[in-house]
Amino acid sequence: MLDKKYNFLEKEKKWQDYWQEKQIFKFDKNSKKPVYAIDTPPPTVNGKIHMGHLSSYMHIETMARHHRMKGENVFFPLGFDDNGLPTERYVEKKYNKRAFELDREKFTDMCLETTKELEKEFHALYKSAGFSCDLDNNYSSISKRSQAISQKSFIELYKKGLIYHQEAPALWCTECRTAVAQSELENQDIASTFNYIKFFIEGTNEYVTVATTRPEMLPACDCVFINPKDEKNLYLLGKKLVVPYFNFTVPVLTDELVDLEKGSGVVMCCTFGDTVDKEWQRKHNLEIKEAFNNAGRMTKLAGEFEGMKIKDARLAIIEKLKENDLLIKQEELTHAVSTHERCGTPIEIVVKKQWFIDVLSHKQELYDAGMKLNWHPETMRARYLNWVENLQWNWCISRQRYYGVPFPVWYCKHCGKVHVADESELPVNPLSKLPTVKCECGECDWEPEHDVMDTWATSSLTPQISTDLITGKGLDDTMIPMSLRPNAHDNIRVWDFYTIVKSLYHFGKLPWTDLMISGYVTSADGSKLSKKSGNNKNAPQDIIAQYSADVTRYWANNLSLGKDTCFSLESFDAGKKLANKIWNASKFVLSFLYDYTPRQIDLLPMDKWILEKYKKVFKSFAKNLDRYDICLGLGEAEKFFWDFCDDYIELVKRRLYNPDVYGEKECESAKYACYYTLLGILKMFAPFMPHITEEIYQDYYAEKENQVSIHVSGYLNLGEAKDENFVKAGDEVMQIVSGIRQFKSENKISLKTFIKDLKVSSKYKDFIKLCEVDIKAVGSINNLEVEDGDFKLEFGEIIPDAE
RNA sequence: GGGAGUUUAGCUCAGUUGGCUAGAGCAUCUGCCUUACAAGCAGAGGGUCAUAGGUUCGAGUCCUAUAACUCCCACCA
């Protein structure tokens, strides 16, 4: 028997423990069932999960449980992305220490310890949310196994010539003191000044005006460009200009990229103020001058400004220009500046030897991959394609950091040749073990690579890392493509893109068939929730404790895929109501079924009608979920359930209560329909509200159906709906009931107040006649007369209630 | 500048390949303690589906233009 009230705190915990104990969600290696493999997003371990992450995981959950209910062998691993810069930054903040101030090993230990703590919290949260990941199949991106796979990927791509080591301009963060990739950039509007300064023509008193936002780059000035079509400035060609204040001369060159409209049409080129400078340096083979170092401090080149921070030097230099009458005017402006997403520091371009994965020469293949994948929602395809089209940098995978997967690489100190590790020795830390083989040059003196890999160089291998848990084959494509890659839209250009790159480069295959892209949950003011910013008032664990995991899941699954939504507690009320209703309706229906075992009998029309309706609804429900139209599927199940309660149960409850008045057979017919309709409904709700449905199922159905859990019991498929007319006729009966209710409401009388006569006109006369008893019972009608015709109700006298 | 999304009831949002009278929750109003549920039930009011054109027998849905808001990318001289 079900409790009078459903205590979710107690029950949810109970079933979570039960599922774990019975290993309900374990992937079955030996099964012949179709595999549904999910490339679970391993959360970056750098803080707390918020409602946005949680909602995204709840979408995944629904799909995992849906496919399990369809009888598929669901592979739903659990992962953590716990290496790399995000974690380092988190640890640096937590201990208020910079990594480069600490011993490398000590810092790594601090990272490992911190991630362990955080992962425990994540685990607890996952469990309390009722996640059905396979706890035995979990991975972490810093584990030895992941490192080995990641290093093997590096070696393979290096040998294929897709990875190269080169001294080339790379995006650089002076705060984190490392190279970063294009995908780690963020735009920020930053207030600045446009400075018009004087470049004197050598040996004259004439000057040209050059506008710049970065006067601190003057010491690194290589030349000045004009547009070859810019007639008013052509006279400058062949002349030398004096760099103001720093007093060295530079040539005047021409290039089509110079914008005639902007500033004075005369541009200074430095190494490197922006991406155009980078282009010009390459194209015109200009000298590379470093005005600042890796930590963002001015170099010797800057003379008296040496040691100053970039920003301070800018102001100091402007002051000097002013003092020396070299500054003509200043204009305030706000412009978008590329900053590092982890710390918000403006990104510089710095030349240093870095490891790159070539993506620019494979743009077309990468684009085609985006065309072949199934995106849910479809509009997200455009975001991917847009990103690929706009790629400008090869993927820089080396980071001048500490906590990450090391490169399996040493350099010969004599000839500089690269030596990569043998695959048999992976994972390897080049710092702790030098090769014993001789270099081709004959020497045996190796320098280990100190850099570590970008965190994405490893997490782009989650399909391989996770399926390795099953196959044990490491970097392998046996289970590739997986069925689903789920993530939020911010990760399309990062995780999705890089995973596609790796899968194509290694196997020439797509990593998955489908992508499910969630939107953001924003706070009430529309700002994005993030682990970094503090707008995290509604912590997931608090919400779950207050509303239950089931209700939270209901909320999440009502969000449209790919769409950003404001977080609001109001929307939890509907879920609360639904859970309450499921409980009460089940309690009521089951109270008639405890001594009942279903057997095939002839059903009364309305009992057949509800089963026919179920067939129709279920078919469409399953179709919607198969298409990742989660909220449509849920909505359908919900609508059907509510109709089942308010219409069907109301209609037959007198038959259930009083078999002596309405007949044993009539009662059994209702029981049969109730048994299967409720079962079907519970199963449809099971992916969304796994706990409450399990509690009800275990109370009654588990034994009857001989199943260990509703979640592996399969959907109730009663076959095709046959007779459309039959459904329509039943609907017309419900319309009569509805008409009776409306009549009573308008007359402000109780629903149980009797009406003497009701005359019904309908084209389903015969069907309605068969339902006479039900209609009279639910409507408290004494006499019912039915005739052929267009739908019409005529009410007779109201019989006052007896005192 | 390139790309995408959004605009539907007072509020938050559904609305699938175009198809009966555009739906739900919340809020408002009316009635009902009906042998599951008052955290309930029954009913009512509330919409020129952003605007203007077009295609079609038929448009919230498709096309064109416009407006407002949001996001992604580029723009750093």
Side-chain angles (χ1 to χ4, degrees), chain A residues 432-462:
Chain A
S432 53
K433 191 180 156 200
L434 295 177
T436 49
V437 293
K438 276 190 180 169
C439 179
E440 276 168 19
C441 70
E443 301 288 336
C444 185
D445 197 3
W446 299 102
E447 173 70 24
E449 170 62 88
H450 285 79
D451 291 354
V452 295
M453 288 189 212
D454 173 17
T455 180
W456 299 108
T458 305
S459 42
S460 55
L461 294 163
T462 52

Side-chain angles (χ1 to χ4, degrees), chain A residues 71 99 123 219 226 278 316 331 417 419 430 523 592 646 680-681 737 761:
Chain A
H123 252 280
I226 56 169
K278 183 195 100 179
E331 280 170 9
K417 196 177 176 307
H419 175 75
S523 41
F592 297 103
D646 297 341
I681 287 169
V737 173
S761 306

Side-chain angles (χ1 to χ4, degrees), chain A residues 747-788:
Chain A
N747 287 281
K748 303 193 174 180
I749 57 173
S750 165
L751 286 174
K752 66 175 184 182
T753 300
F754 273 87
I755 290 172
K756 202 170 170 193
D757 302 295
L758 172 61
K759 199 158 117 193
V760 177
S761 306
S762 167
K763 50 185 177 183
Y764 300 105
K765 178 185 161 194
D766 297 336
F767 186 97
I768 290 167
K769 278 228 146 170
L770 291 171
C771 305
E772 187 179 339
V773 175
D774 285 341
I775 296 169
K776 278 160 76 176
V778 70
S780 297
I781 304 290
N782 279 346
N783 302 306
L784 183 71
E785 199 182 314
V786 193
E787 60 177 35
D788 264 320

